[in-house]
Amino acid sequence: MKKLALVLGSLLVVGSVASAKEVMPAPAPAPEKVIEYVEKPVIVYRDREVTPAWRPNGSVDVQYRWYGETENKTKKEDTDGDWAAGRNNAGRLQTETKINFTEKQSLQVRTRNYQALRGTKGDSSDDQIRLRHFYNFGNLGSSKVNATSRLEYKQNGRDGGKKAEASVFFDFADYIYSNNFFKVEKFGLRTGYEHKWAGHDNDNTIERALVNFESEYTLPLGFSAELNVYNHYDWHHDKLAYADKKHEYNGELEAYIYQHTPLYKANNVELSFDFEGGYDPYTWHQHKVVDNGSGEGERASYSVYMLPTFQVAYKPTEFVKLYAAAGAEYRNWAVEANSTAKNWRWQPTAWAGMKVSF
């Protein structure tokens, strides 16, 4: 019996093991590794201003201006020579080119060619060319004072009066208080040296040391202003008129007021009323060298003017501007000595031009 029980028990154990092997699942293969590629979104900030890279730029302004008769009187009719001075029945073609080569260096070239529309060349003025080169040195050290040099050459006519100048302008405008009603655009001192001559000899040669004050302001209601004071010390090759001297201190004051009033504006067209006027200039001298008709001279002279105009401007594109203006100038010309200044007279004038920026 015992043997039979052992045999039955052994068979039971073997059967249980065999049943367990049948129900075990087959080993599954390892899953493949999945790699996901996620593209990062590109975000465009439409309200963020991106400063474009600096590039050379400039402009060309071509203008033709007409000068009418002085209250219907020509130079030929003005036998006393104290009324129709300056330009009468004349035209002027002016071309002004400005080029900014770098952020610090620029060049300006201005030519003026005059034509006598009636009469002779004496009714207009000498042709003129002026070249100016500027270099901006930036602020001096840690200050707010900007320094900019200027080299200038100017010549009248084919072989007329000439001038060569080298100067540096120190601008203190950032130290002057400004707000929305009063803004100082320019405020500083210019110091330099100037050489003036005519022809090919030493006659009429002048050596000049200069210390000038120059300023510009923006005012409310379309107004702006300019105030300049030029201080010179001259060494003349020849003796001064009315004075047995070759050296002299002298100066000039320029004081201008400008006003721009838009009258009509639609799309790219603007019609405006513009005004300018002031001292142009007031001069003073150490010696009595101003001709006042007495034969002895005096020390000061001045010319005061005003020029109201109606102007129209049209911009067909962002880079092209067409403009025209017409008005009349009220000024004293031939008699400017301080004690005898007179003969303020109206002279009609008009101009038209085109300015192209690049």
Side-chain angles (χ1 to χ4, degrees):
M1 290 297 293
K2 290 181 179 181
K3 290 182 179 181
L4 180 61
L6 289 172
V7 173
L8 293 174
S10 299
L11 293 174
L12 182 61
V13 172
V14 172
S16 300
V17 173
S19 299
K21 287 184 178 180
E22 290 177 359
V23 298
M24 288 183 63
E32 296 183 359
K33 187 175 182 181
V34 180
I35 301 177
E36 296 183 357
Y37 295 92
V38 180
E39 294 185 2
K40 294 183 178 180
V42 178
I43 302 176
V44 179
Y45 298 94
R46 297 184 180 277
D47 59 344
R48 178 178 297 176
E49 294 184 1
V50 179
T51 303
W54 191 93
R55 64 176 180 83
N57 59 85
S59 63
V60 177
D61 190 341
V62 180
Q63 178 193 106
Y64 188 83
R65 183 167 180 173
W66 166 76
Y67 299 90
E69 291 184 357
T70 302
E71 294 192 7
N72 298 320
K73 184 179 289 189
T74 65
K75 281 189 175 182
K76 186 177 181 179
E77 298 167 341
D78 181 19
T79 57
D80 295 332
D82 61 354
W83 187 264
R87 296 169 289 269
N88 277 262
N89 280 316
R92 184 192 73 186
L93 177 63
Q94 174 178 288
T95 303
E96 188 169 10
T97 304
K98 299 180 180 180
I99 303 175
N100 299 312
F101 297 107
T102 68
E103 293 181 272
K104 294 182 176 294
Q105 188 174 192
S106 62
L107 177 69
Q108 296 181 6
V109 181
R110 189 188 71 185
T111 61
R112 288 177 171 177
N113 301 101
Y114 292 90
Q115 305 86 36
L117 303 180
R118 289 175 57 190
T120 65
K121 181 68 173 177
D123 292 328
S124 59
S125 296
D126 291 335
D127 296 340
Q128 183 187 100
I129 182 171
R130 188 187 71 183
L131 294 86
R132 285 178 171 177
H133 176 273
F134 298 88
Y135 188 86
N136 188 346
F137 294 97
N139 291 348
L140 300 179
S142 58
S143 71
K144 298 180 182 179
V145 180
N146 178 270
T148 301
S149 67
R150 185 179 78 188
L151 300 176
E152 177 177 327
Y153 176 78
K154 185 177 179 180
Q155 177 175 326
N156 293 333
R158 294 183 178 180
D159 196 22
K162 307 174 188 68
K163 181 183 79 170
E165 176 195 300
S167 64
V168 178
F169 181 69
F170 300 93
D171 194 347
F172 299 85
D174 288 341
Y175 283 104
I176 309 301
Y177 174 76
S178 298
N179 53 36
N180 293 333
F181 298 96
F182 175 81
K183 184 177 180 181
V184 179
E185 305 287 353
K186 178 182 178 182
F187 190 96
L189 297 175
R190 179 181 302 279
T191 179
Y193 177 81
E194 184 178 297
H195 177 70
K196 301 178 70 175
W197 75 102
H200 301 279
D201 51 33
N202 290 329
D203 295 339
N204 301 316
T205 298
I206 302 174
E207 310 294 337
R208 169 174 289 176
L210 58 92
V211 179
N212 302 337
F213 168 75
E214 302 174 13
S215 64
E216 296 177 1
Y217 312 89
T218 298
L219 308 173
L221 302 177
F223 282 90
S224 60
E226 183 177 349
L227 177 63
N228 305 312
V229 181
Y230 305 118
N231 300 283
H232 310 143
Y233 191 84
D234 295 347
W235 293 266
H236 293 257
H237 180 268
D238 299 325
K239 290 184 179 180
L240 298 168
Y242 311 112
D244 189 19
K245 304 288 184 180
K246 289 188 176 182
H247 301 172
E248 131 171 284
Y249 164 76
N250 61 86
E252 297 179 2
L253 167 71
E254 293 177 344
Y256 307 111
I257 188 74
Y258 308 96
Q259 206 277 333
H260 176 75
T261 302
L263 301 177
Y264 172 80
K265 189 171 184 180
N267 299 324
N268 298 328
V269 179
E270 181 187 71
L271 174 65
S272 64
F273 173 78
D274 291 77
F275 174 88
E276 65 176 85
Y279 280 99
D280 186 39
Y282 181 92
T283 68
W284 60 90
H285 298 265
Q286 180 182 357
H287 306 295
K288 295 181 178 181
V289 298
V290 177
D291 183 8
N292 62 0
S294 67
E296 297 180 356
E298 62 180 84
R299 290 187 171 89
S301 66
Y302 67 90
S303 179
V304 177
Y305 83 105
M306 64 176 180
L307 175 61
T309 58
F310 287 96
Q311 302 197 36
V312 60
Y314 171 60
K315 295 190 68 175
T317 70
E318 181 183 357
F319 304 102
V320 177
K321 179 181 178 181
L322 306 175
Y323 60 90
E329 182 184 65
Y330 187 67
R331 178 195 289 266
N332 66 312
W333 266 109
V335 186
E336 299 180 359
N338 192 45
S339 61
T340 59
K342 63 178 181 178
N343 290 358
W344 276 267
R345 78 290 187 278
W346 287 101
Q347 181 182 26
T349 184
W351 61 86
M354 176 177 69
K355 182 177 181 179
V356 179
S357 302
F358 55 88

